[in-house]
Amino acid sequence: MRGAFRRDDGPVTRRAAASPGARAGRRSAAALVGVRGLALAAHRLDRCRTLDDVQQATSRMGVEVLGAARVAFCRIEQDTCRILEITPQPTDPRVLWMVRSSYRADDRPALRALISDRTSWVAHSVDLEGARVQPGDAEAGDAVEIATLEEIASDSGLAAPIIVNGAVWGQIYAVKARGGGLFTLDDVARAEVLAALAAGAVARVDLEAQVRHLVADDPLTGLANRRVADAVAEAALEGGDETCIVMCDVDGLKRVNDQMGHDAGDDLLRSVGDVLRRVADALPGTTAARIGGDEFALVTVGRKRSEVAETMSTTLAMYPLPHGAAISYGVASTAVSGPVSARQLFRRADVEQYRAKRARARRLKVATPTADPAVTAERVVVVGSAAIAAAQSGVVPRLCALAAAVTETMGGSAWAVLMKRGDDDAAAVARGGSPSDLEHDQSTTRLEHGPWVVEFGVSSTAAGGDVVTSALGALTAVAVVGAS
């Protein structure tokens, strides 16, 4: 378990604090962290009749059972975590941004491990004496989670997976405030029991949705399947509103499967599902579906083609895929084609998708040279500033958006965001870009700011020099400092 080690008397967190004893004859907080508290949680969850009831009961009982300052009940879909309920409701701006944000497993190693290994984790930003932990202290937990605890002024955090029908459905996330002590392995065990009780309640109240999922959803990504996409398209065409079909293909899936294994390929497909779900969320009434293999589709109703294309472009730029993969897509609209069948509209979108795929390959083979470093620096500042401004809050999303935008501008094929764990060691937090057949014509420009390292992909034909490097350094500093 992360953030733990073993002593002669059994596994404990490195900075474990003893739980207070129960007060005789009184219903104390200490009593609620034991079996009595879990039994009370079981009774309350048994009375829940809706998912809202489950999430409220779980988060409220979590505060008592875990002795936490705040507990969040979270949903995990397509490798993205979002908070459904939090107790007590925060007022601190540092916490509010967390509640309103969603988190991708690609940006948070602890979340990735929780999803893939179904394991809980614990992290501390201070030690038993209240001193701040040293950078790179692996026994304190994951570095990204420690940084999050510091941002929200918390001493300790833990998460336990909510597993429904053999899959990770969500998680319980709890934190302790400054001076509130540190979570122990006993606390993690209590969180896991509470998560199991919540999972049972979710399975009971969510049975109808589970049946629909088994029949209509793709089991890997959670998106709709081909049958649903066809039915939605047919109904939309009968309604007479402008209907768009977006056909998508994943560039680089075979390379990822061959080089990193099919588990990594499945993770990539789940990331594609996450990106397309975000597009669908931005275009209400849209259905996102996995057609099969590495083919995906979106069906929009009553949306103009220009709006659909712009939303696709913006979302793909904000959420690049891991492992240097990318999405090629084509859009077909009844406003252009006129009355057609659903099958014809799908075929036209597929033709557009292949056209976009060939154009991407040509761009990667021949990067437009820019002879003047000053012009290159100006372009980098313009696109980098826009990317940072459009990114989600937080250091990692801002640096990822910057790296993706600059790499594309410089004709590069891949980028990475890393965090230092020691003087010479840096671990990758996120990677992205587009696959390239000409890796020998690519180079990497590396910029650092504090513990953060950004690697920009650069074409051999792109202009460089001190003026470009200075522009990249300034943008990196803006992305980091502006997120604080």
Side-chain angles (χ1 to χ4, degrees):
M1 181 173 296
R2 285 169 170 75
F5 77 106
R6 182 173 293 278
R7 288 172 40 181
D8 293 339
D9 56 349
V12 297
T13 58
R14 179 169 179 260
R15 298 169 179 85
S19 298
R23 300 175 186 173
R26 297 179 60 184
R27 183 175 175 272
S28 66
L32 286 177
V33 302
V35 176
R36 185 184 304 177
L38 292 171
L40 180 59
H43 289 308
R44 291 186 180 178
L45 286 167
D46 187 56
R47 293 196 297 268
C48 293
R49 292 295 175 264
T50 67
L51 183 58
D52 285 344
D53 293 340
V54 174
Q55 60 197 42
Q56 290 174 12
T58 303
S59 61
R60 290 172 184 173
M61 287 304 304
V63 171
E64 299 180 4
V65 170
L66 302 175
R70 185 165 280 110
V71 172
F73 183 91
C74 307
R75 180 74 166 103
I76 298 175
E77 296 179 285
Q78 290 93 47
D79 285 3
T80 297
C81 179
R82 57 191 174 91
I83 295 175
L84 300 182
E85 184 76 22
I86 187 167
T87 301
Q89 285 293 321
T91 56
D92 189 331
R94 294 172 297 182
V95 182
L96 282 172
W97 71 262
M98 285 189 61
V99 177
R100 296 168 180 169
S101 300
S102 58
Y103 309 93
R104 298 180 71 189
D106 294 330
D107 301 331
R108 306 188 81 89
L111 177 59
R112 168 62 67 197
L114 182 143
I115 295 172
S116 60
D117 302 334
R118 303 177 187 177
T119 56
S120 303
W121 60 261
V122 62
H124 312 302
S125 63
V126 300
D127 59 21
L128 273 176
E129 288 72 36
R132 185 176 179 181
V133 298
Q134 296 299 312
D137 185 351
E139 292 188 6
D142 178 75
V144 176
E145 300 303 333
I146 293 173
T148 299
L149 291 172
E150 291 176 345
E151 286 190 60
I152 62 175
S154 297
D155 283 351
S156 189
L158 68 79
I162 299 172
I163 302 174
V164 178
N165 293 335
V168 175
W169 185 95
Q171 70 172 2
I172 293 174
Y173 178 79
V175 296
K176 284 183 178 283
R178 293 288 188 219
L182 307 180
F183 286 120
T184 68
L185 286 185
D186 286 342
D187 292 320
V188 176
R190 294 185 188 97
E192 290 177 346
V193 174
L194 182 61
L197 294 172
V202 169
R204 176 170 49 79
V205 304
D206 203 30
L207 181 59
E208 181 179 345
Q210 292 177 47
V211 172
R212 186 199 65 81
H213 172 76
L214 291 173
V215 174
D217 291 357
D218 172 62
L220 179 64
T221 64
L223 300 182
N225 58 26
R226 177 63 186 258
R227 185 185 299 107
V228 173
D230 286 340
V232 171
E234 292 285 1
L237 292 172
E238 290 177 3
D241 292 328
E242 179 175 352
T243 302
C244 293
I245 301 292
V246 184
M247 286 296 294
C248 306
D249 183 82
V250 184
D251 298 335
L253 177 62
K254 183 179 184 302
R255 173 176 53 82
V256 171
N257 281 331
D258 292 344
Q259 296 178 3
M260 306 179 68
H262 286 276
D263 285 344
D266 287 347
D267 287 341
L268 173 58
L269 291 173
R270 280 190 285 265
S271 295
V272 174
D274 169 50
V275 173
L276 296 185
R277 181 180 59 78
R278 293 176 185 274
V279 175
D281 289 344
L283 298 168
T286 296
T287 298
R290 183 185 178 201
I291 303 303
D294 62 351
E295 292 186 327
F296 294 77
L298 292 166
V299 182
T300 72
V301 183
R303 301 284 172 177
K304 293 186 179 298
R305 185 187 186 284
S306 58
E307 180 187 6
V308 173
E310 182 179 354
T311 302
M312 280 291 297
S313 177
T314 301
T315 306
L316 293 184
M318 291 181 63
Y319 301 99
L321 297 180
H323 312 310
I327 297 175
S328 292
Y329 67 93
V331 185
S333 170
T334 54
V336 177
S337 65
V340 293
S341 67
R343 176 174 295 185
Q344 289 174 315
L345 200 58
F346 272 105
R347 286 178 177 174
R348 295 189 182 194
D350 209 29
V351 170
E352 293 299 320
Q353 180 268 126
Y354 277 111
R355 186 175 298 167
K357 193 179 187 74
R358 290 193 295 269
R360 176 190 293 275
R362 287 194 298 270
R363 288 197 303 270
L364 289 174
K365 289 181 179 179
V366 184
T368 303
T370 303
D372 189 346
V375 174
T376 300
E378 182 179 357
R379 290 180 180 175
V380 164
V381 170
V382 171
V383 300
S385 300
I388 293 172
Q392 285 186 311
S393 60
V395 175
V396 173
R398 289 162 66 92
L399 287 178
C400 287
L402 170 63
V406 169
T407 296
E408 181 176 357
T409 301
M410 300 289 285
S413 62
W415 55 265
V417 174
L418 307 94
M419 173 179 277
K420 292 182 181 178
R421 299 187 183 276
D423 292 339
D424 300 317
D425 183 32
V429 175
R431 296 184 183 276
S434 301
S436 173
D437 296 329
L438 300 178
E439 297 294 339
H440 60 280
D441 288 335
Q442 306 288 322
S443 63
T444 299
T445 297
R446 183 184 176 104
L447 274 299
E448 300 181 8
H449 188 90
W452 297 98
V453 180
V454 184
E455 294 181 347
F456 303 94
V458 180
S459 167
S460 60
T461 60
D466 292 341
V467 64
V468 176
T469 302
S470 296
L472 293 176
L475 288 168
T476 303
V478 169
V480 174
V481 175
S484 302

